Amino acid sequence: MSEPAPPHQQANSLWTSRMAFILAAVGSAVGLGNIWKFPYITGENGGGAFVLVYLACIFLIGLPVLIAETLIGRRGGQSPVATMRTLTRTEGASKGWRIIGWNGVFAASLVLSFYAVIGGWALVYVGKAAFGLFVGADAETVGAQFDTLLSNPWELLLWHTAFMVIVVFIVARGIRAGLEKAVKMLMPLLFVLLIVMVLYAMTSGSFGRAVDFMFSPDFSRLTTEGVLVALGHAAFTLSVGIGTLMAYGSYLPKHINIARTSVSIAVMDTCVALLAGLAIFPLVFANGLEADAGPGLIFVTLPLAFGQMSGGLIFGTLFFALLLVAAITSAISMLEPVVEWLEERKGTTRVKSAMTGGFAVWLVGIGTVLSFNLWSNIYPLGFIGFFEGKTVFELIDFLASNILMPLGGLAIVLFVGWAVRREGLAEDIGLQGGLFRAFMVVLKFVTPAGIAVVFLYNLI
Ligand code: PFF
């Protein structure tokens, strides 16, 4: 007798199509990481050579975790916690692996707690751009606007709250009526906005220089640190390691080929990051600004560019709308594992679980809000040399992005590579023959080694 399908694998719970899953996963993957972080780390690390290493990392490190995590999610068909409980039993694996599920729920909440604060910045910047606050502004004014925003806890809290309310609202409506509908509407919008921005950048006069900067590798500008940044970012940008794909994978119909679908997701995510670079750098160069401006690149440097150019009001608004859409579709994927777990554990409705989970994450997010102003001089673990000078936000970011995410990713590939039974695995992943064997070698050795190197590097 065959086992009954797990809860999320019941016919009426599944994603309605392969495309719906791809849009949701790409929606999760494409976020602040692509539009905010990728351009500035490319700028800081010298351009072309960094981009090449990044591409290699996506396919050797990020993609295998993406495949493994989705596979675990679909096999378990429940929240990450219950999925790992079930799988350790059915695969005859040690109970220790269950930590993967707990890590997922915990780390996803932590990442969301600060991600929502930055999502709030995107929200407020849409308004600033639309109301013409950047028009004709000089560097000092634009910088001061950003500093003023960060220094006001109430304003930050307001936008942080607004952002969380949007996220909770979507997630509360469930997979089909909430997440699927949202991504089907928002992702095409995101692609259109991005293409419009790239077309606009093409007319700026410095497009050729931007292409050259991003695609002519100059290896003399690549440092060891650059390689490690590329590796770390490959995991972050694909949203792997913290249970979001496990949560999304739990609703993935059995007949869908995980390997092929995952490749599409990785390729799309990469294209968006590259296009974001092609939208941003021409504006930076055309206005004589610095490509290596760091985290302020899109909140300080770009508004300056928009303020100086014709059509800047419209395109500035479109740009921040793009950022906001990307942030929302990523944030909903982070709340999903938490909500699934609450639903299962408490047996409460989805709406209540979304509100409870959202509220808890919002509360933790206040720590990040305050880290930019009232608590900017408070270093809770400052007495430990390594954490000296780290604010609450920086500690949460460090714990989630540099410790829990890589360790989660490592545990996921090791679990599928070494602990899951081999029979049926090739069909479930959707690879055959030599390709499957090659994939298993990457999964067992290459990916874990890559993740371990970044992890250790980040600790020293
Ligand atoms: N991939 C998202 C980005 O690039 O912004 C960030 C992210 C989303 C990380 C979801 C982790 C996650 F679970």
Side-chain angles (χ1 to χ4, degrees), residues 182-264:
V183 295
K184 277 185 171 160
M185 219 164 62
L186 295 175
M187 293 313 286
L189 176 69
L190 183 137
F191 289 124
V192 172
L193 290 176
L194 189 59
I195 301 292
V196 171
M197 285 307 298
V198 175
L199 292 176
Y200 177 62
M202 279 177 159
T203 64
S204 70
S206 292
F207 194 71
R209 192 164 154 214
V211 172
D212 201 46
F213 177 71
M214 285 181 65
F215 298 109
S216 313
D218 172 0
F219 282 94
S220 69
R221 299 181 69 184
L222 185 67
T223 56
T224 320
E225 162 137 25
V227 175
L228 293 160
V229 170
L231 255 163
H233 189 59
F236 185 80
T237 191
L238 290 181
S239 306
V240 293
I242 58 169
T244 51
L245 283 153
M246 221 181 277
Y248 276 9
S250 70
Y251 304 101
L252 186 66
K254 275 273 180 265
H255 65 273
I256 289 173
N257 183 315
I258 291 184
R260 192 149 21 98
T261 306
S262 303
V263 171
S264 312

Side-chain angles (χ1 to χ4, degrees), residues 39-44 213 281 284-285 289-294 297 301:
Y40 90 70
I41 55 177
T42 302
E44 282 180 337
F213 177 71
F281 287 122
V284 170
F285 292 139
L289 304 168
E290 297 303 326
D292 59 357
L297 185 67
T301 311

Side-chain angles (χ1 to χ4, degrees), residues 57-58 60-66 68-69 227-228 230-236 240-241 401-415 442-459:
C57 294
I58 287 279
L60 287 175
I61 313 291
L63 182 61
V65 193
L66 177 62
E69 191 170 334
V227 175
L228 293 160
L231 255 163
H233 189 59
F236 185 80
V240 293
S401 312
N402 292 2
I403 299 196
L404 302 180
M405 262 185 132
L407 283 185
L410 184 63
I412 286 169
V413 284
L414 291 177
F415 179 68
V442 171
L443 195 70
K444 283 179 147 179
F445 304 103
V446 181
T447 312
I451 300 178
V453 169
V454 190
F455 177 68
L456 293 176
Y457 173 81
N458 281 333
L459 289 188

Side-chain angles (χ1 to χ4, degrees), residues 51-77:
V51 172
L52 269 187
V53 174
Y54 170 77
L55 292 180
C57 294
I58 287 279
F59 289 95
L60 287 175
I61 313 291
L63 182 61
V65 193
L66 177 62
I67 294 176
E69 191 170 334
T70 311
L71 173 97
I72 294 178
R74 181 165 76 182
R75 282 201 170 177

Side-chain angles (χ1 to χ4, degrees), residues 68 71-72 91-94 97 100 409-422 425 429 436 439-449:
L71 173 97
I72 294 178
E91 299 294 331
S94 151
W97 294 108
I100 293 177
L410 184 63
I412 286 169
V413 284
L414 291 177
F415 179 68
V416 175
W418 298 91
V420 162
R421 290 200 185 92
R422 248 334 224 287
L425 193 57
I429 292 178
F436 175 68
F439 174 75
M440 288 309 283
V441 172
V442 171
L443 195 70
K444 283 179 147 179
F445 304 103
V446 181
T447 312

Side-chain angles (χ1 to χ4, degrees), residues 336-422:
E336 180 60 27
V338 185
V339 169
E340 287 180 4
W341 172 68
L342 284 173
E343 252 182 313
E344 257 167 24
R345 212 179 91 89
K346 306 245 182 234
T348 49
T349 61
R350 186 150 176 114
V351 174
K352 262 201 197 139
S353 306
M355 283 169 51
T356 318
F359 180 70
V361 170
W362 175 85
L363 268 186
V364 180
I366 294 177
T368 292
V369 165
L370 296 177
S371 300
F372 293 103
N373 34 71
L374 300 181
W375 290 359
S376 62
N377 290 321
I378 295 188
Y379 312 120
L381 298 181
F383 55 92
I384 305 171
F386 184 74
F387 295 117
E388 215 178 292
K390 278 196 175 13
T391 59
V392 172
F393 158 60
E394 284 162 338
L395 286 175
I396 294 181
D397 180 21
F398 181 83
L399 173 65
S401 312
N402 292 2
I403 299 196
L404 302 180
M405 262 185 132
L407 283 185
L410 184 63
I412 286 169
V413 284
L414 291 177
F415 179 68
V416 175
W418 298 91
V420 162
R421 290 200 185 92
R422 248 334 224 287

